Amino acid sequence: MRTTAAVAVEPGKPLEIMEVNLELPKAGEVLVEIKATGICHTDEFTRSGANKGGNFPVILGHEGAGVVVAVGENVSTLKPGDHVIPLYAPECRQCHACTTGKTNMCTAIRRNQDKGLLPDGTTRFSMLDGTPIHHYMGCSTFANHTVVAEISLAKIRKDAPFDKICYVGCGVTTGVGAVINTAGVEVGSTTAVFGLGGIGLNVIQGLRMAGADMIIGVDLNNDKREIAEKFGMTHFVNPAELDGQSVSEAIIEMSKTEEDDWGGVDYTFESTGNVHVMEEALKAAHRGWGESIVIGVPPSGQKLAAEPIQLLTGRVWKGTSFGGVRGRTEVPKYVDWYMDGKIEIDSMITHIMPLEDINKAFDLMHAGESIRSVVTFE
Ligand code: NAD
Ligand code: ZN
């Protein structure tokens, strides 16, 4: 069949809207009609060429929602008409990683997924001249139709609006999951969130759900302050307005109390993708027990630097992918939380546009004008 897609032909160039060939799903695969897709900073990371592991040409997009159109052989958990969210973190429930119960980092199809291929090592997309087009993160949601592995699809309720819950495919779940699963934040905790973009705001709403007392937001862009306060931020720091003090020093000062003259917060979250910010986030975690969670993805090859004394004195540094969430098991619950009003999504979706305008979404991201842009398909 043919479908319309936004293709990243080479790194650093705008996406090109074109008709592409899409083969029908093979064994263990599912054809999905994408109804809506968000545009995440991780798509830009690959589009721009900063991701040295990027495969081109490629159909990007990993934050979508849609409807099952057809299933390949041996697909037993999904049928045409089911509503689904594609998962860049699959969940096979059989590999060693899945069965440990300790992680959401399923390894069943990971190697081929990282090469831009489906589990059998081939692509279903190609250009009209036959040139194969890579898949992206096992999802490729910047296309009206896509083929995805069965284990990379979460089945969700049918009454949830696609143009909102597509955001559960990455940003919402990553941010809220980092708080609930990765950090395990307790009621009354003191916290700081570095970077108040599409991920950071969801960390903040996760912290509010978990009952954190102090939620310090850090961003270079003062325009992010108002919306972050709406989501539960209690204090704001702009590193550019600190007059010589480092951000970690500022946070340590702010969090000192009568009984704790040392300062530092219980949990810090980094969602900018800047390694120096990650280092500041570690230093801002409290001596003895503070945990710092890395969420942002820096350009390939960059290294973290920290004095080991930071860890020797009890701080914990860890990272998270997709908020540690097991997609097929837990994503339906996130959709329920949205439908029940427990998590807020609508006000974070600042721009909705047709696929033809998708390059504008990247411009808005660079200008710091959007939280999330969403492309909808008629
Ligand atoms: P975004 O562009 O919407 O937000 C980034 C925010 O950080 C912006 O508000 C920006 O002003 C702020 N910022 C930039 N540099 C800063 C600095 N030095 N100090 C303070 N604030 C600064 O991006 P996003 O969609 O929220 O994604 C954030 C990061 O998370 C990206 O690196 C993305 O690739 C990554 N990500 C990781 C996962 C995961 O599973 N670990 C999932 C999705 C996204
Ligand atoms: Zn993402």
PDB file of all heavy atoms in Angstrom, residues 39-43 62-63 88 136-137 169-171 174 199 322 372, ligand 2:
ATOM      1  N   ILE A  39       5.644  15.781  18.709  1.00  0.00           N
ATOM      2  CA  ILE A  39       7.019  15.967  18.234  1.00  0.00           C
ATOM      3  C   ILE A  39       7.875  16.229  19.471  1.00  0.00           C
ATOM      4  O   ILE A  39       7.669  17.212  20.183  1.00  0.00           O
ATOM      5  CB  ILE A  39       7.120  17.138  17.229  1.00  0.00           C
ATOM      6  CG1 ILE A  39       6.425  16.759  15.918  1.00  0.00           C
ATOM      7  CG2 ILE A  39       8.572  17.462  16.899  1.00  0.00           C
ATOM      8  CD1 ILE A  39       5.030  17.197  15.775  1.00  0.00           C
ATOM      9  N   CYS A  40       8.806  15.305  19.734  1.00  0.00           N
ATOM     10  CA  CYS A  40       9.603  15.330  20.973  1.00  0.00           C
ATOM     11  C   CYS A  40      11.019  15.770  20.643  1.00  0.00           C
ATOM     12  O   CYS A  40      11.487  15.636  19.513  1.00  0.00           O
ATOM     13  CB  CYS A  40       9.605  13.921  21.573  1.00  0.00           C
ATOM     14  SG  CYS A  40      10.770  13.643  22.913  1.00  0.00           S
ATOM     15  N   HIS A  41      11.725  16.244  21.652  1.00  0.00           N
ATOM     16  CA  HIS A  41      13.106  16.665  21.431  1.00  0.00           C
ATOM     17  C   HIS A  41      13.982  15.518  20.928  1.00  0.00           C
ATOM     18  O   HIS A  41      14.964  15.738  20.240  1.00  0.00           O
ATOM     19  CB  HIS A  41      13.681  17.271  22.707  1.00  0.00           C
ATOM     20  CG  HIS A  41      14.662  18.350  22.427  1.00  0.00           C
ATOM     21  ND1 HIS A  41      14.452  19.669  22.743  1.00  0.00           N
ATOM     22  CD2 HIS A  41      15.851  18.290  21.782  1.00  0.00           C
ATOM     23  CE1 HIS A  41      15.492  20.374  22.322  1.00  0.00           C
ATOM     24  NE2 HIS A  41      16.346  19.567  21.741  1.00  0.00           N
ATOM     25  N   THR A  42      13.612  14.290  21.258  1.00  0.00           N
ATOM     26  CA  THR A  42      14.411  13.144  20.803  1.00  0.00           C
ATOM     27  C   THR A  42      14.329  12.987  19.271  1.00  0.00           C
ATOM     28  O   THR A  42      15.296  12.562  18.633  1.00  0.00           O
ATOM     29  CB  THR A  42      13.965  11.862  21.527  1.00  0.00           C
ATOM     30  OG1 THR A  42      14.010  12.115  22.938  1.00  0.00           O
ATOM     31  CG2 THR A  42      14.878  10.693  21.221  1.00  0.00           C
ATOM     32  N   ASP A  43      13.190  13.344  18.677  1.00  0.00           N
ATOM     33  CA  ASP A  43      13.093  13.333  17.206  1.00  0.00           C
ATOM     34  C   ASP A  43      14.082  14.347  16.620  1.00  0.00           C
ATOM     35  O   ASP A  43      14.763  14.079  15.625  1.00  0.00           O
ATOM     36  CB  ASP A  43      11.672  13.688  16.756  1.00  0.00           C
ATOM     37  CG  ASP A  43      10.638  12.703  17.269  1.00  0.00           C
ATOM     38  OD1 ASP A  43      10.824  11.493  17.042  1.00  0.00           O
ATOM     39  OD2 ASP A  43       9.660  13.134  17.904  1.00  0.00           O
ATOM     40  N   HIS A  62       7.883   9.079  17.586  1.00  0.00           N
ATOM     41  CA  HIS A  62       7.768   7.964  18.530  1.00  0.00           C
ATOM     42  C   HIS A  62       6.737   8.272  19.604  1.00  0.00           C
ATOM     43  O   HIS A  62       6.725   7.642  20.650  1.00  0.00           O
ATOM     44  CB  HIS A  62       9.136   7.706  19.185  1.00  0.00           C
ATOM     45  CG  HIS A  62       9.624   8.882  19.964  1.00  0.00           C
ATOM     46  ND1 HIS A  62      10.199   9.974  19.373  1.00  0.00           N
ATOM     47  CD2 HIS A  62       9.570   9.170  21.286  1.00  0.00           C
ATOM     48  CE1 HIS A  62      10.501  10.866  20.300  1.00  0.00           C
ATOM     49  NE2 HIS A  62      10.117  10.415  21.468  1.00  0.00           N
ATOM     50  N   GLU A  63       5.869   9.259  19.334  1.00  0.00           N
ATOM     51  CA  GLU A  63       4.907   9.685  20.361  1.00  0.00           C
ATOM     52  C   GLU A  63       3.520   9.734  19.708  1.00  0.00           C
ATOM     53  O   GLU A  63       2.963  10.808  19.492  1.00  0.00           O
ATOM     54  CB  GLU A  63       5.336  11.069  20.877  1.00  0.00           C
ATOM     55  CG  GLU A  63       4.713  11.472  22.181  1.00  0.00           C
ATOM     56  CD  GLU A  63       5.275  12.798  22.691  1.00  0.00           C
ATOM     57  OE1 GLU A  63       4.906  13.847  22.137  1.00  0.00           O
ATOM     58  OE2 GLU A  63       6.099  12.783  23.625  1.00  0.00           O
ATOM     59  N   TYR A  88       8.246   2.823  22.070  1.00  0.00           N
ATOM     60  CA  TYR A  88       9.658   2.692  21.706  1.00  0.00           C
ATOM     61  C   TYR A  88      10.384   1.809  22.703  1.00  0.00           C
ATOM     62  O   TYR A  88      11.474   1.323  22.446  1.00  0.00           O
ATOM     63  CB  TYR A  88      10.333   4.051  21.528  1.00  0.00           C
ATOM     64  CG  TYR A  88      10.369   4.953  22.733  1.00  0.00           C
ATOM     65  CD1 TYR A  88      11.393   4.869  23.652  1.00  0.00           C
ATOM     66  CD2 TYR A  88       9.382   5.909  22.933  1.00  0.00           C
ATOM     67  CE1 TYR A  88      11.440   5.708  24.752  1.00  0.00           C
ATOM     68  CE2 TYR A  88       9.415   6.760  24.026  1.00  0.00           C
ATOM     69  CZ  TYR A  88      10.439   6.658  24.928  1.00  0.00           C
ATOM     70  OH  TYR A  88      10.484   7.489  26.016  1.00  0.00           O
ATOM     71  N   TYR A 136      11.967   4.192  13.009  1.00  0.00           N
ATOM     72  CA  TYR A 136      12.592   4.964  14.084  1.00  0.00           C
ATOM     73  C   TYR A 136      12.048   4.522  15.429  1.00  0.00           C
ATOM     74  O   TYR A 136      10.840   4.584  15.686  1.00  0.00           O
ATOM     75  CB  TYR A 136      12.318   6.454  13.879  1.00  0.00           C
ATOM     76  CG  TYR A 136      13.005   7.342  14.892  1.00  0.00           C
ATOM     77  CD1 TYR A 136      14.386   7.374  15.002  1.00  0.00           C
ATOM     78  CD2 TYR A 136      12.257   8.154  15.741  1.00  0.00           C
ATOM     79  CE1 TYR A 136      15.018   8.192  15.927  1.00  0.00           C
ATOM     80  CE2 TYR A 136      12.880   8.982  16.669  1.00  0.00           C
ATOM     81  CZ  TYR A 136      14.259   8.997  16.753  1.00  0.00           C
ATOM     82  OH  TYR A 136      14.885   9.810  17.672  1.00  0.00           O
ATOM     83  N   MET A 137      12.935   4.064  16.285  1.00  0.00           N
ATOM     84  CA  MET A 137      12.586   3.642  17.637  1.00  0.00           C
ATOM     85  C   MET A 137      11.439   2.626  17.623  1.00  0.00           C
ATOM     86  O   MET A 137      10.651   2.545  18.563  1.00  0.00           O
ATOM     87  CB  MET A 137      12.211   4.865  18.506  1.00  0.00           C
ATOM     88  CG  MET A 137      13.375   5.838  18.699  1.00  0.00           C
ATOM     89  SD  MET A 137      12.918   7.373  19.538  1.00  0.00           S
ATOM     90  CE  MET A 137      12.950   6.860  21.251  1.00  0.00           C
ATOM     91  N   GLY A 169       2.656   8.496  24.757  1.00  0.00           N
ATOM     92  CA  GLY A 169       3.651   7.658  24.085  1.00  0.00           C
ATOM     93  C   GLY A 169       5.080   8.022  24.404  1.00  0.00           C
ATOM     94  O   GLY A 169       6.004   7.251  24.137  1.00  0.00           O
ATOM     95  N   CYS A 170       5.311   9.218  24.977  1.00  0.00           N
ATOM     96  CA  CYS A 170       6.666   9.544  25.439  1.00  0.00           C
ATOM     97  C   CYS A 170       6.645  10.514  26.612  1.00  0.00           C
ATOM     98  O   CYS A 170       6.876  10.127  27.734  1.00  0.00           O
ATOM     99  CB  CYS A 170       7.542  10.093  24.305  1.00  0.00           C
ATOM    100  SG  CYS A 170       9.203  10.489  24.881  1.00  0.00           S
ATOM    101  N   GLY A 171       6.370  11.797  26.350  1.00  0.00           N
ATOM    102  CA  GLY A 171       6.614  12.854  27.345  1.00  0.00           C
ATOM    103  C   GLY A 171       5.935  12.649  28.681  1.00  0.00           C
ATOM    104  O   GLY A 171       6.580  12.733  29.733  1.00  0.00           O
ATOM    105  N   THR A 174       7.297   9.461  30.452  1.00  0.00           N
ATOM    106  CA  THR A 174       8.695   9.615  30.848  1.00  0.00           C
ATOM    107  C   THR A 174       8.801  10.472  32.105  1.00  0.00           C
ATOM    108  O   THR A 174       9.510  10.129  33.057  1.00  0.00           O
ATOM    109  CB  THR A 174       9.498  10.252  29.694  1.00  0.00           C
ATOM    110  OG1 THR A 174       9.445   9.370  28.579  1.00  0.00           O
ATOM    111  CG2 THR A 174      10.938  10.515  30.089  1.00  0.00           C
ATOM    112  N   ILE A 199       9.174  17.412  28.826  1.00  0.00           N
ATOM    113  CA  ILE A 199       9.449  16.353  29.806  1.00  0.00           C
ATOM    114  C   ILE A 199       9.393  16.930  31.222  1.00  0.00           C
ATOM    115  O   ILE A 199       8.724  16.393  32.105  1.00  0.00           O
ATOM    116  CB  ILE A 199      10.839  15.716  29.548  1.00  0.00           C
ATOM    117  CG1 ILE A 199      10.936  15.140  28.131  1.00  0.00           C
ATOM    118  CG2 ILE A 199      11.154  14.651  30.600  1.00  0.00           C
ATOM    119  CD1 ILE A 199      10.065  13.963  27.835  1.00  0.00           C
ATOM    120  N   PHE A 322      11.944   6.093  29.283  1.00  0.00           N
ATOM    121  CA  PHE A 322      10.487   5.973  29.300  1.00  0.00           C
ATOM    122  C   PHE A 322       9.970   5.868  30.745  1.00  0.00           C
ATOM    123  O   PHE A 322       9.021   5.147  31.035  1.00  0.00           O
ATOM    124  CB  PHE A 322      10.054   4.749  28.464  1.00  0.00           C
ATOM    125  CG  PHE A 322       8.598   4.772  28.042  1.00  0.00           C
ATOM    126  CD1 PHE A 322       8.011   5.929  27.546  1.00  0.00           C
ATOM    127  CD2 PHE A 322       7.805   3.633  28.123  1.00  0.00           C
ATOM    128  CE1 PHE A 322       6.681   5.949  27.146  1.00  0.00           C
ATOM    129  CE2 PHE A 322       6.472   3.641  27.718  1.00  0.00           C
ATOM    130  CZ  PHE A 322       5.912   4.799  27.237  1.00  0.00           C
ATOM    131  N   ARG A 372       4.398  21.198  23.555  1.00  0.00           N
ATOM    132  CA  ARG A 372       4.296  20.107  22.602  1.00  0.00           C
ATOM    133  C   ARG A 372       3.513  20.565  21.388  1.00  0.00           C
ATOM    134  O   ARG A 372       2.448  21.173  21.529  1.00  0.00           O
ATOM    135  CB  ARG A 372       3.537  18.927  23.208  1.00  0.00           C
ATOM    136  CG  ARG A 372       4.412  17.811  23.717  1.00  0.00           C
ATOM    137  CD  ARG A 372       5.464  17.359  22.733  1.00  0.00           C
ATOM    138  NE  ARG A 372       6.178  16.200  23.224  1.00  0.00           N
ATOM    139  CZ  ARG A 372       7.372  16.222  23.838  1.00  0.00           C
ATOM    140  NH1 ARG A 372       8.020  17.349  24.002  1.00  0.00           N
ATOM    141  NH2 ARG A 372       7.924  15.088  24.239  1.00  0.00           N
TER     142      ARG A 372
HETATM  143 ZN    ZN B   2      10.325  11.229  23.267  1.00  0.00          ZN
END
